[in-house]
Amino acid sequence: MRSGGPIRVLLCDDAEGFRALMRSSLADDPSIEIVGEASDGEEGVQATADLQPDVVLLDMSMPRLSGLQAIPRMRRRAPRTSIIGLSSLSASRMRGPSLEIGAHSYLEKGTELEEIRAAIHEAADDRG
């Protein structure tokens, strides 16, 4: 655990089942705290601004505002928050565009939980 407490994570995904899976999978890690959830890009931008989380796990394909549209808005409203794109869209297609507009990293859904946890820790360490 970081000296400042657990890593504060916002889950932003339109699939309730996926958010529930991430919430329960990350809950047993005392170094990570889920501080909020959003079910579309607009909610994600607002929650990022309101909560100022350390890390956002952001689905790239959502209603109202896609991940690619949300990333720059999140970065403007919470510049110290790191964003991890996490989507079923292929990394070969989405990693480059996501990183170019401000995401810290990009993972495909189906990535092992330990790799997701490691990415959260790395993103939190690299904030700012």
Side-chain angles (χ1 to χ4, degrees):
M1 195 166 351
R2 298 171 324 133
S3 60
I7 299 166
R8 300 174 67 253
V9 176
L10 171 67
L11 301 176
C12 188
D13 196 298
D14 60 322
E16 168 58 35
F18 186 77
R19 289 194 321 269
L21 175 65
M22 283 292 96
R23 185 173 51 247
S24 65
S25 297
L26 296 172
D28 64 351
D29 186 333
S31 67
I32 296 173
E33 176 187 6
I34 304 302
V35 295
E37 297 183 26
S39 62
D40 66 49
E42 288 284 353
E43 286 180 12
V45 170
Q46 189 60 52
T48 299
D50 293 345
L51 298 170
Q52 298 288 310
D54 299 317
V55 177
V56 175
L57 284 181
L58 176 65
D59 184 15
M60 301 307 287
S61 179
M62 288 187 299
R64 297 196 333 158
L65 201 63
S66 74
L68 288 177
Q69 294 169 315
I71 289 170
R73 295 175 191 195
M74 289 175 169
R75 298 289 302 143
R76 280 193 302 272
R77 297 188 69 188
R80 291 196 32 82
T81 295
S82 291
I83 302 164
I84 300 172
L86 184 64
S87 180
S88 58
L89 301 171
S90 74
S92 63
R93 176 177 161 204
M94 294 302 299
R95 179 176 283 123
S98 299
L99 299 180
E100 286 172 16
I101 60 171
H104 180 272
S105 59
Y106 183 87
L107 301 171
E108 290 183 25
K109 286 184 178 177
T111 298
E112 294 291 325
L113 180 59
E114 287 309 311
E115 191 174 339
I116 294 170
R117 283 183 178 157
I120 290 170
H121 283 270
E122 180 184 322
D125 290 344
D126 291 347
R127 288 184 332 126

Coordinates of all heavy atoms in Angstrom, one line a residue, residues 19-98:
R19 N -18.4 -4.3 -14.4 CA -18.0 -3.5 -13.3 C -18.1 -4.3 -12.0 O -17.2 -4.2 -11.1 CB -19.0 -2.3 -13.2 CG -18.7 -1.2 -14.2 CD -19.4 0.1 -13.9 NE -20.7 0.1 -13.3 CZ -21.9 0.0 -14.0 NH1 -21.9 0.1 -15.4 NH2 -23.0 0.0 -13.4
A20 N -19.1 -5.1 -11.9 CA -19.3 -6.0 -10.7 C -18.1 -7.0 -10.6 O -17.6 -7.2 -9.5 CB -20.6 -6.8 -10.7
L21 N -17.7 -7.5 -11.7 CA -16.5 -8.4 -11.7 C -15.3 -7.7 -11.3 O -14.5 -8.2 -10.4 CB -16.3 -9.0 -13.1 CG -15.1 -9.9 -13.3 CD1 -15.2 -11.2 -12.5 CD2 -14.9 -10.2 -14.8
M22 N -15.0 -6.5 -11.8 CA -13.8 -5.8 -11.4 C -13.9 -5.4 -9.9 O -12.9 -5.5 -9.2 CB -13.7 -4.5 -12.3 CG -13.2 -4.7 -13.7 SD -11.4 -5.2 -13.7 CE -11.6 -7.0 -13.8
R23 N -15.1 -4.9 -9.5 CA -15.3 -4.5 -8.1 C -15.0 -5.7 -7.2 O -14.2 -5.5 -6.2 CB -16.7 -4.0 -7.9 CG -17.0 -3.4 -6.6 CD -18.4 -2.8 -6.5 NE -19.5 -3.7 -7.0 CZ -20.2 -3.5 -8.1 NH1 -20.0 -2.4 -8.8 NH2 -21.2 -4.3 -8.4
S24 N -15.5 -6.8 -7.4 CA -15.3 -8.0 -6.5 C -13.9 -8.5 -6.7 O -13.3 -8.9 -5.7 CB -16.3 -9.1 -6.8 OG -16.2 -9.6 -8.1
S25 N -13.3 -8.5 -7.9 CA -12.0 -9.0 -8.1 C -10.9 -8.1 -7.4 O -9.9 -8.6 -6.9 CB -11.7 -9.1 -9.6 OG -12.5 -10.1 -10.2
L26 N -11.1 -6.8 -7.4 CA -10.2 -5.9 -6.8 C -10.4 -5.7 -5.3 O -9.5 -5.2 -4.6 CB -10.2 -4.6 -7.6 CG -9.8 -4.6 -9.0 CD1 -10.0 -3.3 -9.7 CD2 -8.3 -5.1 -9.2
A27 N -11.6 -6.1 -4.8 CA -11.9 -5.8 -3.4 C -11.0 -6.5 -2.4 O -10.8 -6.0 -1.3 CB -13.4 -6.2 -3.2
D28 N -10.4 -7.6 -2.8 CA -9.6 -8.3 -1.9 C -8.1 -7.8 -1.8 O -7.3 -8.3 -1.1 CB -9.6 -9.8 -2.1 CG -9.0 -10.2 -3.5 OD1 -8.7 -9.3 -4.3 OD2 -8.8 -11.4 -3.8
D29 N -7.9 -6.7 -2.6 CA -6.5 -6.1 -2.6 C -6.6 -4.8 -1.7 O -7.2 -3.9 -2.1 CB -6.2 -5.7 -4.0 CG -4.7 -5.2 -4.1 OD1 -4.2 -4.6 -3.1 OD2 -4.2 -5.3 -5.2
P30 N -6.0 -4.9 -0.5 CA -6.2 -3.7 0.4 C -5.5 -2.5 -0.1 O -5.7 -1.4 0.4 CB -5.5 -4.2 1.7 CG -4.6 -5.3 1.2 CD -5.2 -5.9 0.0
S31 N -4.7 -2.6 -1.2 CA -4.0 -1.4 -1.7 C -4.8 -0.7 -2.8 O -4.4 0.3 -3.3 CB -2.6 -1.8 -2.3 OG -2.8 -2.6 -3.4
I32 N -6.0 -1.2 -3.1 CA -6.9 -0.6 -4.1 C -8.3 -0.4 -3.5 O -8.8 -1.3 -2.8 CB -7.0 -1.5 -5.3 CG1 -5.7 -1.7 -6.0 CG2 -8.1 -1.0 -6.3 CD1 -5.6 -2.7 -7.2
E33 N -8.8 0.8 -3.7 CA -10.1 1.1 -3.2 C -11.0 1.6 -4.4 O -10.6 2.6 -5.1 CB -10.1 2.2 -2.1 CG -11.4 2.7 -1.7 CD -11.3 3.9 -0.7 OE1 -10.2 4.5 -0.6 OE2 -12.4 4.3 -0.2
I34 N -12.1 1.0 -4.6 CA -13.0 1.4 -5.7 C -13.8 2.6 -5.1 O -14.6 2.4 -4.1 CB -14.0 0.3 -6.1 CG1 -13.2 -0.9 -6.6 CG2 -14.9 0.8 -7.2 CD1 -12.2 -0.7 -7.7
V35 N -13.7 3.8 -5.6 CA -14.3 5.0 -5.0 C -15.5 5.4 -5.8 O -16.3 6.3 -5.4 CB -13.3 6.2 -5.0 CG1 -12.2 5.9 -4.0 CG2 -12.8 6.6 -6.3
G36 N -15.8 4.8 -7.0 CA -17.0 5.1 -7.7 C -17.1 4.3 -9.0 O -16.1 3.6 -9.4
E37 N -18.3 4.4 -9.6 CA -18.5 3.8 -10.9 C -19.3 4.7 -11.8 O -20.1 5.5 -11.3 CB -19.3 2.5 -10.6 CG -18.6 1.5 -9.8 CD -19.4 0.2 -9.6 OE1 -20.2 -0.2 -10.5 OE2 -19.1 -0.5 -8.6
A38 N -19.2 4.5 -13.1 CA -19.9 5.2 -14.1 C -20.3 4.2 -15.2 O -19.6 3.3 -15.5 CB -19.1 6.3 -14.6
S39 N -21.5 4.4 -15.7 CA -22.0 3.5 -16.7 C -22.0 4.1 -18.2 O -22.4 3.4 -19.1 CB -23.4 3.1 -16.4 OG -24.3 4.2 -16.4
D40 N -21.5 5.3 -18.3 CA -21.3 5.8 -19.7 C -20.2 6.9 -19.6 O -19.8 7.3 -18.5 CB -22.6 6.4 -20.3 CG -23.2 7.6 -19.6 OD1 -22.5 8.5 -19.3 OD2 -24.4 7.5 -19.4
G41 N -19.8 7.4 -20.8 CA -18.7 8.3 -20.8 C -19.0 9.6 -20.1 O -18.1 10.2 -19.5
E42 N -20.2 10.2 -20.3 CA -20.5 11.4 -19.6 C -20.4 11.3 -18.1 O -19.9 12.2 -17.5 CB -21.9 11.9 -20.1 CG -22.0 12.4 -21.5 CD -21.5 13.8 -21.7 OE1 -21.1 14.5 -20.7 OE2 -21.4 14.2 -22.8
E43 N -21.0 10.2 -17.6 CA -20.9 10.0 -16.2 C -19.5 9.8 -15.7 O -19.1 10.3 -14.6 CB -21.7 8.7 -15.8 CG -23.2 8.9 -15.8 CD -23.9 7.5 -15.4 OE1 -23.3 6.6 -14.9 OE2 -25.1 7.5 -15.6
G44 N -18.7 9.1 -16.6 CA -17.3 8.9 -16.2 C -16.5 10.2 -16.1 O -15.7 10.4 -15.2
V45 N -16.7 11.1 -17.1 CA -16.1 12.4 -17.0 C -16.5 13.2 -15.7 O -15.6 13.7 -15.0 CB -16.4 13.3 -18.3 CG1 -15.9 14.7 -18.1 CG2 -15.7 12.6 -19.5
Q46 N -17.8 13.2 -15.4 CA -18.3 13.9 -14.3 C -17.7 13.3 -13.0 O -17.3 14.0 -12.1 CB -19.8 13.9 -14.2 CG -20.3 14.8 -13.1 CD -19.9 16.3 -13.3 OE1 -20.1 16.9 -14.3 NE2 -19.3 16.9 -12.2
A47 N -17.7 12.0 -12.9 CA -17.2 11.3 -11.7 C -15.7 11.5 -11.5 O -15.3 11.7 -10.4 CB -17.6 9.8 -11.8
T48 N -15.0 11.5 -12.6 CA -13.6 11.8 -12.6 C -13.3 13.2 -12.0 O -12.5 13.4 -11.1 CB -12.9 11.7 -14.0 OG1 -13.1 10.3 -14.4 CG2 -11.4 12.0 -13.9
A49 N -14.1 14.2 -12.5 CA -14.0 15.5 -12.0 C -14.4 15.6 -10.5 O -13.7 16.3 -9.7 CB -14.8 16.5 -12.8
D50 N -15.4 15.0 -10.1 CA -15.9 15.0 -8.7 C -15.0 14.3 -7.8 O -14.7 14.8 -6.7 CB -17.3 14.5 -8.6 CG -18.4 15.3 -9.4 OD1 -18.1 16.5 -9.7 OD2 -19.5 14.8 -9.6
L51 N -14.6 13.1 -8.1 CA -13.8 12.2 -7.2 C -12.3 12.4 -7.3 O -11.6 12.0 -6.3 CB -14.2 10.8 -7.5 CG -15.7 10.4 -7.3 CD1 -15.9 9.0 -7.9 CD2 -16.0 10.5 -5.8
Q52 N -11.8 12.9 -8.4 CA -10.4 13.0 -8.6 C -9.6 11.7 -8.2 O -8.8 11.7 -7.3 CB -9.8 14.2 -7.7 CG -10.4 15.6 -8.2 CD -9.9 16.1 -9.5 OE1 -8.7 16.1 -9.8 NE2 -10.8 16.5 -10.4
P53 N -10.0 10.6 -8.8 CA -9.4 9.3 -8.4 C -7.9 9.3 -8.8 O -7.5 10.1 -9.7 CB -10.2 8.3 -9.2 CG -10.7 9.1 -10.4 CD -11.0 10.5 -9.9
D54 N -7.2 8.4 -8.3 CA -5.8 8.2 -8.7 C -5.8 7.5 -10.1 O -5.0 7.9 -11.0 CB -5.1 7.2 -7.8 CG -5.0 7.8 -6.4 OD1 -4.8 9.0 -6.2 OD2 -5.3 7.0 -5.4
V55 N -6.7 6.6 -10.4 CA -6.8 5.8 -11.6 C -8.2 5.6 -12.1 O -9.1 5.4 -11.2 CB -6.1 4.4 -11.4 CG1 -6.2 3.6 -12.7 CG2 -4.6 4.6 -11.0
V56 N -8.4 5.7 -13.4 CA -9.7 5.4 -14.0 C -9.5 4.2 -14.9 O -8.6 4.2 -15.7 CB -10.3 6.5 -14.8 CG1 -11.6 6.1 -15.5 CG2 -10.6 7.8 -14.0
L57 N -10.3 3.1 -14.7 CA -10.4 2.0 -15.6 C -11.5 2.4 -16.5 O -12.7 2.4 -16.1 CB -10.7 0.7 -14.9 CG -9.5 0.0 -14.2 CD1 -10.0 -1.3 -13.5 CD2 -8.3 -0.2 -15.1
L58 N -11.2 2.6 -17.8 CA -12.2 3.2 -18.7 C -12.4 2.3 -19.9 O -11.5 2.0 -20.7 CB -11.6 4.6 -19.2 CG -12.4 5.3 -20.3 CD1 -13.7 5.8 -19.8 CD2 -11.6 6.5 -20.8
D59 N -13.7 1.9 -20.1 CA -14.1 1.2 -21.3 C -14.1 2.2 -22.5 O -14.5 3.3 -22.3 CB -15.5 0.6 -21.1 CG -16.0 -0.3 -22.3 OD1 -15.1 -0.7 -23.1 OD2 -17.2 -0.5 -22.3
M60 N -13.6 1.7 -23.6 CA -13.5 2.6 -24.8 C -14.7 2.7 -25.6 O -14.9 3.6 -26.4 CB -12.3 2.1 -25.7 CG -11.0 2.1 -24.9 SD -10.5 3.6 -24.1 CE -10.1 4.6 -25.5
S61 N -15.6 1.7 -25.4 CA -16.9 1.7 -26.2 C -18.1 1.8 -25.3 O -18.5 0.8 -24.8 CB -16.9 0.4 -27.0 OG -18.1 0.4 -27.8
M62 N -18.6 3.1 -25.1 CA -19.7 3.3 -24.2 C -20.7 4.3 -24.8 O -20.3 5.0 -25.8 CB -19.2 3.9 -22.9 CG -18.4 2.9 -22.1 SD -18.0 3.7 -20.5 CE -17.0 5.0 -21.0
P63 N -21.9 4.3 -24.3 CA -22.9 5.2 -24.8 C -22.6 6.7 -24.4 O -21.8 6.9 -23.4 CB -24.2 4.8 -24.1 CG -23.8 3.7 -23.1 CD -22.4 3.4 -23.3
R64 N -23.2 7.6 -25.1 CA -23.1 9.0 -24.8 C -21.8 9.7 -25.1 O -21.7 10.7 -25.6 CB -23.6 9.4 -23.4 CG -25.1 9.1 -23.2 CD -25.8 9.7 -22.1 NE -24.9 10.1 -21.0 CZ -25.3 11.1 -20.1 NH1 -26.4 11.7 -20.2 NH2 -24.5 11.4 -19.1
L65 N -20.7 9.0 -24.7 CA -19.3 9.5 -24.9 C -18.4 8.3 -25.0 O -18.3 7.6 -24.0 CB -19.0 10.5 -23.8 CG -17.9 11.5 -24.0 CD1 -18.3 12.5 -25.1 CD2 -17.7 12.3 -22.7
S66 N -17.7 8.1 -26.0 CA -16.7 7.0 -26.1 C -15.5 7.3 -25.2 O -15.3 8.4 -24.8 CB -16.3 6.8 -27.6 OG -15.4 7.8 -27.9
G67 N -14.7 6.2 -25.0 CA -13.5 6.4 -24.3 C -12.6 7.4 -24.9 O -12.0 8.2 -24.2
L68 N -12.5 7.4 -26.2 CA -11.6 8.3 -26.9 C -12.1 9.7 -26.8 O -11.3 10.7 -26.7 CB -11.5 8.0 -28.4 CG -10.7 6.7 -28.7 CD1 -10.7 6.4 -30.2 CD2 -9.2 6.8 -28.2
Q69 N -13.4 9.9 -26.7 CA -13.9 11.3 -26.4 C -13.7 11.7 -25.0 O -13.5 12.8 -24.6 CB -15.4 11.3 -26.8 CG -15.6 11.2 -28.3 CD -17.1 11.0 -28.6 OE1 -17.8 10.2 -27.9 NE2 -17.6 11.7 -29.6
A70 N -13.8 10.7 -24.1 CA -13.8 11.0 -22.6 C -12.4 11.3 -22.1 O -12.2 12.1 -21.2 CB -14.4 9.8 -21.8
I71 N -11.4 10.6 -22.7 CA -10.0 10.7 -22.2 C -9.6 12.2 -22.1 O -9.1 12.7 -21.0 CB -9.0 9.9 -22.9 CG1 -9.2 8.4 -22.6 CG2 -7.6 10.3 -22.6 CD1 -8.5 7.4 -23.5
P72 N -9.6 13.0 -23.2 CA -9.1 14.4 -23.1 C -9.9 15.2 -22.1 O -9.4 16.0 -21.4 CB -9.3 14.9 -24.5 CG -9.6 13.8 -25.4 CD -10.0 12.7 -24.5
R73 N -11.2 14.9 -21.9 CA -12.1 15.7 -21.0 C -11.7 15.3 -19.6 O -11.6 16.2 -18.7 CB -13.5 15.4 -21.2 CG -14.0 15.9 -22.6 CD -15.4 15.5 -22.9 NE -15.7 15.8 -24.3 CZ -16.9 15.9 -24.8 NH1 -18.0 15.7 -24.0 NH2 -17.1 16.2 -26.1
M74 N -11.4 14.0 -19.3 CA -11.0 13.6 -18.0 C -9.6 14.2 -17.7 O -9.4 14.7 -16.5 CB -10.9 12.1 -17.9 CG -12.2 11.4 -18.0 SD -12.0 9.6 -18.0 CE -13.6 9.0 -17.7
R75 N -8.7 14.2 -18.6 CA -7.4 14.8 -18.4 C -7.5 16.3 -18.0 O -6.7 16.7 -17.2 CB -6.5 14.6 -19.6 CG -6.2 13.1 -20.0 CD -5.3 12.4 -19.0 NE -4.0 13.0 -18.9 CZ -3.3 13.1 -17.8 NH1 -3.8 12.6 -16.7 NH2 -2.2 13.7 -17.8
R76 N -8.4 17.0 -18.7 CA -8.5 18.4 -18.4 C -9.1 18.7 -17.0 O -8.7 19.6 -16.3 CB -9.4 19.1 -19.4 CG -8.7 19.4 -20.7 CD -9.6 20.4 -21.6 NE -10.9 19.8 -22.0 CZ -11.1 19.1 -23.0 NH1 -10.2 18.7 -23.8 NH2 -12.4 18.6 -23.3
R77 N -10.1 17.8 -16.6 CA -10.8 18.0 -15.4 C -10.1 17.4 -14.2 O -10.4 17.7 -13.0 CB -12.2 17.5 -15.5 CG -12.9 18.4 -16.6 CD -14.4 18.2 -16.7 NE -15.1 18.7 -15.6 CZ -16.4 18.5 -15.4 NH1 -17.1 17.8 -16.2 NH2 -17.0 18.9 -14.3
A78 N -9.2 16.4 -14.4 CA -8.5 15.8 -13.3 C -7.0 15.4 -13.9 O -6.7 14.3 -14.2 CB -9.2 14.5 -12.9
P79 N -6.2 16.4 -14.0 CA -4.9 16.2 -14.7 C -4.0 15.2 -14.0 O -3.1 14.7 -14.6 CB -4.3 17.6 -14.7 CG -5.1 18.5 -13.8 CD -6.4 17.8 -13.6
R80 N -4.2 15.0 -12.7 CA -3.3 14.0 -12.0 C -3.8 12.6 -12.0 O -3.2 11.7 -11.5 CB -3.1 14.5 -10.5 CG -2.2 15.8 -10.5 CD -1.6 16.1 -9.1 NE -1.3 15.0 -8.3 CZ -0.1 14.3 -8.3 NH1 0.8 14.5 -9.2 NH2 0.1 13.3 -7.4
T81 N -5.0 12.4 -12.6 CA -5.6 11.1 -12.6 C -5.0 10.3 -13.8 O -4.9 10.9 -14.9 CB -7.1 11.2 -12.8 OG1 -7.7 11.8 -11.6 CG2 -7.8 9.8 -13.0
S82 N -4.6 9.1 -13.6 CA -4.1 8.2 -14.7 C -5.3 7.5 -15.2 O -6.2 7.0 -14.5 CB -3.1 7.3 -14.2 OG -1.9 8.0 -13.9
I83 N -5.3 7.3 -16.5 CA -6.4 6.6 -17.2 C -5.9 5.3 -17.9 O -4.9 5.4 -18.6 CB -7.1 7.5 -18.2 CG1 -7.6 8.8 -17.6 CG2 -8.2 6.7 -19.0 CD1 -8.0 9.9 -18.5
I84 N -6.5 4.2 -17.6 CA -6.2 2.9 -18.2 C -7.4 2.6 -19.1 O -8.5 2.3 -18.6 CB -6.0 1.8 -17.2 CG1 -4.8 2.2 -16.3 CG2 -5.7 0.5 -17.9 CD1 -4.6 1.2 -15.1
G85 N -7.2 2.5 -20.4 CA -8.2 2.0 -21.3 C -8.3 0.5 -21.1 O -7.3 -0.2 -21.1
L86 N -9.5 0.0 -21.0 CA -9.7 -1.4 -20.8 C -10.9 -1.8 -21.6 O -12.0 -1.4 -21.2 CB -9.9 -1.8 -19.3 CG -10.0 -3.2 -18.9 CD1 -8.7 -4.0 -19.2 CD2 -10.4 -3.3 -17.4
S87 N -10.7 -2.5 -22.7 CA -11.8 -2.7 -23.6 C -11.7 -4.0 -24.3 O -10.6 -4.6 -24.4 CB -11.9 -1.5 -24.6 OG -13.0 -1.7 -25.5
S88 N -12.8 -4.4 -24.9 CA -12.8 -5.6 -25.8 C -12.2 -5.3 -27.2 O -11.9 -6.2 -27.9 CB -14.2 -6.3 -25.9 OG -15.1 -5.3 -26.4
L89 N -12.1 -4.0 -27.5 CA -11.5 -3.6 -28.8 C -10.0 -4.0 -28.7 O -9.3 -3.8 -27.7 CB -11.7 -2.1 -29.0 CG -13.1 -1.7 -29.0 CD1 -13.2 -0.2 -29.0 CD2 -13.9 -2.3 -30.2
S90 N -9.5 -4.4 -29.8 CA -8.1 -4.9 -29.9 C -7.1 -3.9 -29.5 O -7.2 -2.7 -29.9 CB -7.8 -5.6 -31.2 OG -7.6 -4.5 -32.2
A91 N -6.0 -4.3 -28.8 CA -5.0 -3.3 -28.5 C -4.3 -2.8 -29.7 O -3.9 -1.7 -29.7 CB -4.0 -4.0 -27.5
S92 N -4.1 -3.6 -30.7 CA -3.5 -3.2 -31.9 C -4.2 -2.0 -32.6 O -3.6 -1.1 -33.2 CB -3.3 -4.3 -32.9 OG -4.5 -4.8 -33.3
R93 N -5.5 -2.0 -32.4 CA -6.3 -0.9 -32.9 C -6.5 0.3 -32.0 O -6.5 1.4 -32.5 CB -7.7 -1.5 -33.2 CG -8.7 -0.5 -33.7 CD -10.0 -1.2 -34.1 NE -11.1 -0.2 -34.1 CZ -12.4 -0.4 -33.9 NH1 -12.8 -1.7 -33.7 NH2 -13.2 0.5 -34.0
M94 N -6.5 0.1 -30.7 CA -6.9 1.1 -29.8 C -5.7 1.7 -28.9 O -5.8 2.8 -28.4 CB -8.0 0.6 -28.9 CG -9.3 0.4 -29.6 SD -10.0 1.8 -30.5 CE -10.2 2.9 -29.1
R95 N -4.7 0.9 -28.7 CA -3.6 1.4 -27.8 C -3.0 2.7 -28.3 O -2.9 3.6 -27.5 CB -2.5 0.3 -27.7 CG -1.3 0.8 -26.8 CD -0.3 -0.3 -26.6 NE -0.8 -1.3 -25.6 CZ -0.9 -2.6 -25.9 NH1 -0.5 -3.1 -27.0 NH2 -1.4 -3.4 -25.0
G96 N -2.6 2.8 -29.5 CA -1.9 4.0 -30.0 C -2.8 5.2 -29.9 O -2.4 6.2 -29.3
P97 N -4.0 5.2 -30.4 CA -4.9 6.4 -30.3 C -5.2 6.7 -28.8 O -5.3 7.9 -28.5 CB -6.2 6.0 -31.0 CG -5.8 4.9 -32.0 CD -4.6 4.2 -31.3
S98 N -5.3 5.7 -28.0 CA -5.6 6.0 -26.5 C -4.4 6.7 -25.9 O -4.6 7.7 -25.2 CB -5.9 4.7 -25.8 OG -7.0 4.1 -26.3

